[in-house]
Amino acid sequence: MKTYLYSLLALIGGLTSCASLDVFTFDQLSPAKVNYPAEVQRVAVINAVPDAPASTKGVVTIGELRASGKPVAEMVANNLADSKYFSEVMISDSLIRPVNLANGFSDAEIQRLAADMGVDLIMALCDVKVLTQRKDMFYPGMPMSLPVVRMKVRPEMKLYIPGRAYPVQVLTPIDSIDWDVQALVSDKQLQDEAIPMTAHLLGRELVPYWKEANRLYYSGGSVEMRDANVYIKENDWGGACREWEKLYQKSKSGKQKFRAAFNLVLGNEMQNKLDEALQWLQKAAHESKPDTEEAQAVKIYKEQLSSRIKEQMFLNSQMSRFGNNF
């Protein structure tokens, strides 16, 4: 999403002759990585990560650390409960390790845990790695590089359903953040910061989540555009589309016709009419000329819309337990 936002801002900066190009920001529901059988309604999160050794004050390790699993598991369970995706979310207060560490939990162990906790699926947090690397970052306008420590979190979570010999899914997502070297005090600081970062990362893998999305649209240049702007402020996308369609029909060609068609992509997307949005994007592309700012705007929107259409298929499947009411 950050890449898209930077592209949008760069494009707006390049359109010095058009002050009416704006960015519309909204919350978009995105699918999780995991698809659950319909019968999975009650889940449990267990911590299988031993406590991390105490860190030495004033020492920052460059290499590999481990964060404590217990607070990560608790935070993941709380986030799942808040999402209300499952009917019940349980958490074990104790560290639970498989008898055979090399092979992980056996089916017999999972069946016993599931029966004791009364759940359909076990989410076992098996590792919370914190990888650090020193880097020199160069930023525009700065005369010298900035030394940072890049911290990567790489948890491992295995999902078990009783009766299955192996995990139904193994999650190993990765995310990173850069720290100013001078702001770091000890390994404990990195380990503590890794806890919410890891829980947030796993949450996006486990259940559908909201993310911020950005779209370009034209907001001025004609009476219809200004009237449509009023409808947008009232969240009346049907009204905005009617104004843009009037402008599209009366415009013979050129920028006005392109802008009306381009805005109709957004208007239909906001009404979840993705097929119609794609049709209007094709019309906007037809009205744009190669190697122009308009063509670049169409390219960016095409990538965004294609990604959303692909995600929608998975999202519909994941939200079917709620009658796709989202």
Side-chain angles (χ1 to χ4, degrees):
M1 183 54 63
K2 288 184 179 178
T3 302
Y4 281 136
L5 181 57
Y6 294 151
S7 299
L8 295 178
L9 295 178
L11 182 57
I12 290 176
L15 292 174
T16 55
S17 62
C18 178
S20 62
L21 187 63
D22 289 328
V23 175
F24 179 77
T25 301
F26 63 99
D27 290 329
Q28 177 181 319
L29 189 63
S30 293
K33 184 174 181 180
V34 182
N35 291 310
Y36 302 93
E39 61 269 18
V40 173
Q41 296 290 337
R42 298 175 301 278
V43 302
V45 181
I46 65 172
N47 172 35
V49 185
D51 288 337
S55 61
T56 304
K57 187 176 181 180
V59 174
V60 176
T61 300
I62 301 300
E64 184 174 308
L65 300 166
R66 273 179 173 77
S68 178
K70 186 174 188 295
V72 173
E74 291 173 346
M75 196 170 291
V76 168
N78 287 333
N79 291 344
L80 291 177
D82 290 342
S83 75
K84 300 186 183 341
Y85 190 78
F86 303 104
S87 61
E88 189 174 7
V89 179
M90 304 289 290
I91 177 74
S92 171
D93 294 332
S94 305
L95 173 67
I96 302 176
R97 299 281 279 169
V99 173
N100 189 322
L101 295 178
N103 295 333
F105 289 98
S106 67
D107 181 46
E109 290 175 292
I110 291 299
Q111 290 203 53
R112 185 174 62 253
L113 283 170
D116 291 344
M117 303 181 77
V119 296
D120 309 310
L121 181 142
I122 299 287
M123 300 177 174
L125 181 65
C126 302
D127 202 358
V128 185
K129 287 183 180 178
V130 182
L131 310 173
T132 58
Q133 179 185 14
R134 186 180 173 114
K135 298 181 72 70
D136 290 322
M137 302 299 293
F138 293 87
Y139 296 97
M142 292 187 64
M144 61 186 68
S145 63
L146 176 67
V148 300
V149 171
R150 176 159 296 173
M151 179 184 79
K152 289 184 180 181
V153 294
R154 190 170 66 190
E156 181 183 71
M157 176 172 274
K158 295 181 180 180
L159 309 187
Y160 294 91
I161 289 180
R164 303 284 183 91
Y166 301 99
V168 293
Q169 191 118 15
V170 179
L171 304 177
T172 56
I174 298 177
D175 201 2
S176 64
I177 189 172
D178 291 339
W179 291 90
D180 183 349
V181 171
Q182 296 180 351
L184 291 177
V185 178
S186 67
D187 288 345
K188 187 176 186 305
Q189 182 181 2
L190 293 172
Q191 292 166 321
D192 289 346
E193 292 292 341
I195 291 170
M197 186 174 172
T198 302
H200 177 73
L201 182 62
L202 285 170
R204 292 162 69 97
E205 300 270 306
L206 294 168
V207 292
Y209 62 96
W210 293 97
K211 67 179 180 182
E212 185 179 278
N214 300 280
R215 299 289 189 266
L216 287 172
Y217 77 105
Y218 293 89
S219 59
S222 69
V223 173
E224 291 83 4
M225 286 289 190
R226 289 192 292 272
D227 289 346
N229 239 18
V230 175
Y231 284 117
I232 292 175
K233 291 177 181 178
E234 296 174 350
N235 199 34
D236 182 355
W237 290 99
C241 284
R242 288 192 294 273
E243 295 298 326
W244 291 328
E245 286 189 32
K246 282 195 296 185
L247 180 60
Y248 179 83
Q249 295 299 334
K250 80 174 189 179
S251 301
K252 296 187 181 299
S253 62
K255 291 185 179 296
Q256 288 284 53
K257 200 172 188 70
F258 165 80
R259 293 174 184 175
F262 189 83
N263 281 8
L264 280 160
V265 184
L266 174 63
N268 281 278
E269 184 186 3
M270 291 301 99
Q271 297 177 83
N272 208 32
K273 300 176 180 178
L274 300 185
D275 290 340
E276 288 88 338
L278 190 58
Q279 292 171 10
W280 280 109
L281 186 63
Q282 292 169 347
K283 293 178 181 179
H286 179 73
E287 296 296 333
S288 66
K289 296 180 180 179
D291 301 321
T292 61
E293 289 87 354
E294 287 81 5
Q296 179 65 16
V298 169
K299 179 182 177 182
I300 291 173
Y301 212 144
K302 183 179 180 180
E303 292 174 359
Q304 294 172 317
L305 190 58
S306 298
S307 176
R308 184 166 186 187
I309 290 172
K310 182 179 179 181
E311 286 187 351
Q312 195 74 19
M313 294 185 294
F314 295 102
L315 189 61
N316 287 339
S317 173
Q318 293 173 9
M319 298 300 289
S320 61
R321 63 175 63 199
F322 305 110
N324 286 328
N325 184 21
F326 58 93

